[in-house]
Amino acid sequence: MTENPGGAPVPASHAASHPASHPAPTRRGVHDRLMQLSEVHDNGFRPERTLRLRVEFTRQVRRRRTQLTALVLLVLPVLIALAFKVSSGADSSGGGGGGGGGGASGRAGGPALVNLATTGATNFALFTEFASVGFLLVVIVALFCGDTVASEASWASLRYLLAIPVPRARLLRQKLIVALSLSFGANLLLPAWSYLVGGVFFGWAPGQSPLGGSFTTGAALQRLLIVVCYTSIQSLLVAALAFLLSVLTDAPLGAVGGATMLVVVSNILDSITSLDPYRRFLPTHFQYSWLDALGQSVVWDDMTRGTGVVLVYSAVFFALAWWRFQEKDILS
């Protein structure tokens, strides 16, 4: 037995019958050859029947890392609420504010979110989002999107998926749809669950703006929805880079760590004010622009710029991932 460049086994007799000038049918796996044959006669090959979304989604949801991630997102708001309860009982004037000020330093509106976290469900959800969006949600999105192709390669099952045969573009598309769905679910689950936990622990009072003023319940929920949508768009950058690294490496942790490292380095560079105006082009410069949605009126300027920057970076990373995977020899 020999192996074609796409990774599918080829009988020795068949390989011998093809001289060097006529290599194996395709370096992308047998699916290209099947597509050519299906144009001549119906061989039963239907690309749309391979790697169905329902099957892939069920498979990913049943994985232990997905279940542990969901558990962390459910437990974290409860732990934060208990911490606020304990600190307010020990020192109602300084416990909560002192603990959160360090994590919010350098971000306009951040310290106020800490002080307002216990005023009701909406403010508790906003604080939890503020505390999590800079690192926890980054790691979770990187985990879902960086573990897509690299995990199959590390399990030595990638070439067998392609030999089923699953077309390469379809394999990337199906895995990316599932990974982005799980990422969006995580970005939605945390504030939604935090809102419920905050209501149980601190009541359902109208939301208060860290910039002054208060909202009705309906307006507060609208602002919270804007925050969730914007942070989900911002997480697309991490998803795209993690997905690209997942195509380039066989080590899932390398893809996850590389995407997380980009955010860390970008935030460090963004804190150097002498880099103005160039730091505006850093991928995380507008990461916290959703705070502009918490004033008496929503200011869209920085959120629009942040969305544009993320979409450009993400488009480049996704395009590179598709191009590299189409040209890559699958050996694992």
Side-chain angles (χ1 to χ4, degrees):
M1 296 289 286
T2 60
E3 187 177 67
N4 69 15
V10 180
S13 59
H14 180 76
S17 64
H18 287 74
S21 59
H22 298 282
T26 173
R27 66 190 301 232
R28 299 180 183 179
V30 296
H31 49 270
D32 286 352
R33 180 63 173 165
L34 287 174
M35 287 297 294
Q36 295 174 4
L37 293 175
S38 66
E39 296 176 359
V40 179
H41 59 85
D42 188 4
N43 58 9
F45 175 60
R46 299 291 185 272
E48 63 275 8
R49 295 179 182 175
T50 60
L51 199 64
R52 296 175 184 265
L53 282 176
R54 177 179 57 82
V55 175
E56 178 65 14
F57 187 81
T58 302
R59 178 168 169 260
Q60 295 300 326
V61 168
R62 289 178 176 176
R63 291 185 59 185
R64 183 167 297 178
R65 53 96 163 157
T66 305
Q67 297 169 356
L68 289 176
T69 298
L71 181 62
V72 169
L73 293 176
L74 293 175
V75 171
L76 178 64
V78 178
L79 292 179
I80 294 176
L82 290 174
F84 273 118
K85 280 290 187 180
V86 171
S87 63
S88 63
D91 186 359
S92 59
S93 61
S105 61
R107 302 292 181 182
L113 278 177
V114 179
N115 296 328
L116 295 174
T118 59
T119 58
T122 302
N123 287 99
F124 181 77
L126 289 172
F127 168 75
T128 305
E129 185 77 1
F130 180 83
S132 305
V133 73
F135 187 75
L136 176 63
L137 290 177
V138 169
V139 173
I140 290 175
V141 172
L143 177 64
F144 285 141
C145 296
D147 192 47
T148 50
V149 179
S151 62
E152 299 290 353
S154 66
W155 298 332
S157 59
L158 182 56
R159 61 179 176 178
Y160 298 106
L161 274 176
L162 295 175
I164 285 175
V166 181
R168 291 196 177 200
R170 179 175 177 82
L171 183 142
L172 287 185
R173 186 187 69 191
Q174 300 295 86
K175 285 190 167 293
L176 181 60
I177 290 175
V178 172
L180 290 179
S181 299
L182 293 174
S183 300
F184 178 75
N187 277 280
L188 181 62
L189 174 62
L190 182 63
W193 176 243
S194 299
Y195 182 83
L196 295 177
V197 171
V200 171
F201 276 85
F202 307 113
W204 308 93
Q208 298 185 35
S209 170
L211 306 178
S214 60
F215 306 112
T216 63
T217 301
L221 291 176
Q222 290 178 358
R223 302 301 178 88
L224 185 59
L225 180 61
I226 293 174
V227 170
V228 172
C229 291
Y230 183 76
T231 54
S232 297
I233 293 174
Q234 289 293 301
S235 69
L236 190 63
L237 168 74
V238 180
L241 179 60
F243 191 70
L244 171 60
L245 295 177
S246 182
V247 170
L248 297 177
T249 180
D250 293 352
L253 288 180
V256 176
T260 305
M261 184 62 65
L262 169 72
V263 175
V264 173
V265 172
S266 180
N267 282 330
I268 292 174
L269 294 176
D270 189 41
S271 65
I272 305 175
T273 56
S274 60
L275 288 179
D276 280 333
Y278 305 107
R279 63 178 183 153
R280 287 175 168 267
F281 300 100
L282 291 171
T284 61
H285 180 72
F286 298 100
Q287 185 179 21
Y288 289 91
S289 294
W290 55 267
L291 289 167
D292 292 341
L294 303 183
Q296 291 303 304
S297 60
V298 180
V299 180
W300 297 99
D301 295 351
D302 281 349
M303 285 192 285
T304 302
R305 296 187 186 98
T307 299
V309 169
V310 164
L311 291 180
V312 170
Y313 274 108
S314 301
V316 172
F317 291 150
F318 282 135
L320 288 174
W322 245 261
W323 171 79
R324 181 66 185 94
F325 194 68
Q326 292 293 339
E327 300 297 326
K328 183 179 181 180
D329 282 339
I330 305 301
L331 304 176
S332 59

